Amino acid sequence: MLRRWLRRLFPDRRAATAREAVFFGARLELDCVDVDGIARDIGSGGLFFATSAPIAAGVRGQLRRDGTAVRIPVRVTGHRRATPGRPAGLGLAFD
C-alpha cells in the first residue's frame, strides 16, 4: 500500500519522456572490466543495456557502440533480472 501511495506521489520519470526502441551492440567500459551487451531502448536521459552482468547501481563508465570509437559517459541506475519476454540488463543514465 505504501508503495502505491509513493508511486502516485512521485510518478516514474520514464513515463514522462518518450523512449525509442533500438537494437545495437555496445560495450560498457568500466575501470576493471568491459561488458558486452545490446542497447534495447533509448530516451533523453539514458538507455536500457541488455546484459547478464550484475553491475551495482552508481558505477560510472563509458558506453561505446560497436564499430565506433566515440565513448559516452554513463552511470548505472539499476539492474533488472530476466523474466519471460524481458531480458536481464542495466539501466544506464547519461552523465
Side-chain angles (χ1 to χ4, degrees), residues 66-79:
D66 288 349
T68 68
V70 177
R71 288 171 172 77
I72 300 168
V74 293
R75 177 178 39 87
V76 177
T77 59
H79 180 265

Side-chain angles (χ1 to χ4, degrees), residues 16-86:
T17 62
R19 298 189 71 81
E20 180 83 23
V22 296
F23 191 85
F24 60 83
R27 175 172 280 185
L28 178 59
E29 299 173 346
L30 306 171
D31 287 339
C32 58
V33 68
D34 291 347
V35 178
D36 291 318
I38 304 291
R40 297 289 301 254
D41 68 53
I42 190 167
S44 61
L47 59 88
F48 179 75
F49 185 67
T51 182
S52 60
I55 307 298
V59 173
R60 285 184 154 74
Q62 305 280 322
L63 186 71
R64 183 175 57 84
R65 184 175 181 164
D66 288 349
T68 68
V70 177
R71 288 171 172 77
I72 300 168
V74 293
R75 177 178 39 87
V76 177
T77 59
H79 180 265
R80 180 176 80 189
R81 292 183 179 160
T83 59
R86 298 177 68 189

